Amino acid sequence: MVARPADVNVFVAGGSGFVGRALCHVLAARGHDVTAASRSPDRAALPDDVATVALDVTDDGVGGAVEGHDVVANLVALPAHVRPARSHETVHAGGTRRLVAAAERTGVERFVQVSALGVAADIDTAYFRAKRRAERAVRAAAPESVVYRPSVVFGDGCAFVPFLERAVPPVVLPLPAGAGRLHPMWVGDLAPMLADGVVGPGHTGKTYRLGGPEVLTFAETVRRVAGDRVVVPVPGAVAAAGAAVADAVPGVPVGRDQHRALRHDNVAAPNDVSAFGVAVDDLLTLEAYVDGR
Ligand SMILES: NC(=O)c1ccc[n+]([C@@H]2O[C@H](COP(=O)([O-])OP(=O)(O)OC[C@H]3O[C@@H](n4cnc5c(N)ncnc54)[C@H](OP(=O)(O)O)[C@@H]3O)[C@@H](O)[C@H]2O)c1
């Protein structure tokens, strides 16, 4: 029997995270039964009618947790700057393999994978290597899965905007010359598109590249968030040396991987938002979001 949309029972792995919470809110508002899972889900950040379950995707027991659900959406993530590199392999690639295998074994009807735009650009960082392997594992195990590749996502509770506000010096930001462009997207625009892929018709087997209304250089992105900064390009070798030093400092959220990632474009071309009946001009700009806070 095919479930009617209102009956869909969705397991959101990583449902307590920044994007996962937004997805849970949209799904619950649309009348679905939602379970948010993570190692320590924060009930207070979720609607009352969303159930929570403690789950580590690197442990056994994933199968028991997903069993009985119609759809599994995977939004488990480690922040890109987390070191060592093997933790990305364990959580992003290994955790995804476990989840999709469990979903297949227990008869889940649809798997939804939130990947990242950089997987297609062949960016050689621990985060993107693991995200690439995760996406391949999903396609191999469950070819009808729905895969999303968003560019950087902003909104209340994101890491990106506060990082730019905190991390850049008050006046001058040294930036590697030749840094790539970003395509920032508001979480309030992304979440309904994810919810459509979770329950809507016509999305199975698809991969969606998603970005916001503007393609921005990193310098332009910084100015949208913290307008008074002067962005000074520094030669690649100098930036690389700085990143190597930062790599050795525990807790510093930039390093060689971030330096490598920054040099690539993170742009959805084409931007697949039209697959969700949305026009690019209807999306919220980063500037409008920052001004409206
Ligand atoms: N935010 C962006 O700009 C952006 C851009 C492109 C793609 N994405 C993708 O979008 C998805 C969601 O990202 P996000 O920004 O929402 O990340 P996030 O805020 O860091 O949330 C990550 C979630 O994963 C959970 N988690 C981490 N390790 C886990 C484990 N071992 N087992 C189970 N749960 C675990 C976390 O909860 P606990 O700590 O309680 O376990 C949290 O719920 C990810 O696939 C990410 O790669 C994000």
Side-chain angles (χ1 to χ4, degrees):
M1 189 185 86
V2 176
R4 285 184 293 116
D7 291 332
V8 175
N9 187 340
V10 190
F11 185 90
V12 184
S16 65
F18 161 56
V19 181
R21 286 193 300 272
L23 174 60
C24 288
H25 273 88
V26 175
L27 289 171
R30 291 184 183 180
H32 302 300
D33 294 331
V34 185
T35 299
S38 75
R39 290 166 303 175
S40 44
D42 178 10
R43 262 242 57 87
L46 292 161
D48 290 344
D49 50 357
V50 170
T52 54
V53 61
L55 172 82
D56 188 329
V57 293
T58 67
D59 286 345
D60 293 333
V62 171
V66 303
E67 188 162 18
H69 292 86
D70 302 313
V71 182
V72 171
N74 180 20
L75 291 92
V76 169
L78 288 181
H81 64 265
V82 163
R83 297 185 286 269
R86 65 177 173 277
S87 47
H88 290 281
E89 187 60 29
T90 307
V91 174
H92 287 125
T96 299
R97 278 189 208 106
R98 272 171 196 262
L99 267 178
V100 72
E104 286 297 286
R105 201 169 56 240
T106 60
V108 166
E109 291 170 23
R110 189 181 297 191
F111 194 87
V112 176
Q113 173 74 1
V114 180
S115 187
L117 201 51
V119 300
D122 232 19
I123 302 175
D124 189 22
T125 69
Y127 173 83
F128 284 112
R129 280 194 301 272
K131 293 290 286 184
R132 207 172 292 131
R133 287 194 189 105
E135 204 184 294
R136 286 191 194 127
V138 168
R139 279 278 172 250
E144 292 304 300
S145 299
V146 189
V147 175
Y148 290 86
R149 294 177 180 168
S151 186
V152 64
V153 186
F154 61 86
D156 295 355
C158 73
F160 176 63
V161 169
F163 168 74
L164 291 180
E165 287 172 333
R166 269 199 323 268
V168 299
V171 181
V172 175
L173 170 67
L175 186 73
R181 299 168 305 158
L182 301 172
H183 208 167
M185 180 176 204
W186 182 44
V187 70
D189 288 325
L190 174 61
M193 297 182 199
L194 298 180
D196 287 355
V198 164
V199 291
H203 298 296
T204 52
K206 301 275 174 54
T207 297
Y208 295 115
R209 288 154 294 188
L210 300 176
E214 297 177 303
V215 174
L216 303 172
T217 65
F218 196 83
E220 288 167 339
T221 308
V222 172
R223 288 193 201 101
R224 296 288 195 279
V225 173
D228 53 345
R229 264 58 161 191
V230 176
V231 178
V232 180
V234 300
V238 175
V245 171
D247 237 1
V249 183
V252 174
V254 288
R256 276 175 291 200
D257 270 6
Q258 285 63 50
H259 176 252
R260 278 187 206 111
L262 259 183
R263 290 164 58 197
H264 290 263
D265 269 352
N266 202 272
V267 174
N271 191 346
D272 292 324
V273 296
S274 57
F276 303 92
V278 176
V280 167
D281 291 345
D282 294 338
L283 302 172
L284 190 72
T285 63
L286 179 59
E287 191 167 23
Y289 167 73
V290 170
D291 289 350
R293 282 182 307 170

